[in-house]
Amino acid sequence: MQAGGRGAYPRTVSNRPDTTAATPSLTQRRKAATQLDIARAAAELFTEDGPDGTTAESIAQRAGVALRTFYRYFRSKQDAVAPLLAGGADRWRESLAAAGPGVPLPAALEDSITASLTPADEAEAEGLRWTRGLLRASAEDPALRAVWYRVNQESEERLREVLATLAGPGADPLEVRLAAAAATDAIRVALESWAESDAPVEGPGSPAALALRCLRELTGGVKLWELGPA
């Protein structure tokens, strides 16, 4: 779901604000910045030390905040990575929405997925590698895996609104729902499959390549793809 015209998952580890919402206040921006500092620290530690070697205390120390500050924002060490994963999905949906009504959905989705899963620089490539580390760590930690699934479920629900707008008022709600589920699962499965491999961040076997393959196979029977925008 990566995910300007370039949106989401490599930007998973990012401090850029989500411009899909109203302009936040200074207090909200400071809160978001603190959450992201903690989230980045959590991602680093889960990747470096694994679930068992990571504690709320070690995350707070890495982020440079008091333990009480950590618990002010997050209920558990696993929950701390949610802003990174959710922020990536937010930016991917923003990129998709920028296509505007009238653009064929297959092209809009494929373009936005390719852009958001292809790192533009080394910082974004490193963000993808951190995502790989988090997904590998989640295989050993049901609570961390639950955060990943929750973020994907919430993203799917919000994606339905974007796709409904792009498809037009005459679109079948069930088809829109199927399209949102397929697109979300395409990226989820692609990232999970890539995390299990040693494939590079670009080229054959990369997240972008896998996501496009998954999207095409999952949407093969979705009529919304055949009809295009209303």
Side-chain angles (χ1 to χ4, degrees):
M1 309 168 195
Q2 294 250 12
R6 307 178 62 82
Y9 283 105
R11 293 77 180 166
T12 298
V13 182
S14 170
N15 60 4
R16 289 185 293 180
D18 173 18
T19 56
T20 59
T23 302
S25 67
L26 178 59
T27 299
Q28 289 172 322
R29 291 198 299 271
R30 286 175 175 169
K31 178 180 178 180
T34 300
Q35 288 178 314
L36 282 168
D37 285 343
I38 295 171
R40 280 194 294 269
E44 291 173 358
L45 288 169
F46 275 120
T47 299
E48 295 168 8
D49 302 332
D52 292 339
T54 300
T55 65
E57 290 84 354
S58 64
I59 294 171
Q61 183 177 20
R62 175 71 66 92
V65 301
L67 184 59
R68 66 178 180 276
T69 301
F70 175 92
Y71 282 116
R72 186 182 306 152
Y73 294 116
F74 303 108
R75 293 171 296 178
S76 68
K77 64 182 183 181
Q78 293 90 350
D79 199 43
V81 303
L84 299 180
L85 302 173
D90 288 343
R91 286 183 289 277
W92 171 57
R93 290 193 306 275
E94 178 188 1
S95 172
L96 179 61
V103 176
L105 283 181
L109 270 168
E110 290 194 9
D111 288 348
S112 65
I113 286 174
T114 299
S116 63
L117 286 172
T118 302
D121 52 35
E122 179 53 32
E124 292 181 356
E126 184 63 19
L128 262 181
R129 288 190 283 268
W130 282 1
T131 300
R132 171 182 264 163
L134 283 174
L135 292 178
R136 287 178 174 178
S138 73
E140 308 170 27
D141 192 312
L144 186 58
R145 192 160 58 250
V147 171
W148 169 242
Y149 288 143
R150 187 188 80 216
V151 167
N152 277 274
Q153 179 60 40
E154 291 171 352
S155 179
E156 178 184 322
E157 292 170 1
R158 292 169 183 153
L159 180 61
R160 285 164 58 185
E161 299 176 11
V162 176
L163 291 180
T165 298
L166 294 177
D172 183 341
L174 179 59
E175 290 293 324
V176 171
R177 186 167 190 167
L178 286 171
T184 303
D185 279 347
I187 295 177
R188 178 183 61 79
V189 171
L191 284 169
E192 290 172 354
S193 299
W194 176 75
E196 294 171 355
S197 75
D198 293 319
V201 296
E202 296 185 73
S206 68
L210 291 172
L212 289 182
R213 176 184 172 188
C214 290
L215 181 70
R216 290 164 183 168
E217 295 193 15
L218 287 171
T219 56
V222 178
K223 294 181 181 178
L224 196 64
W225 255 238
E226 302 170 6
L227 298 175

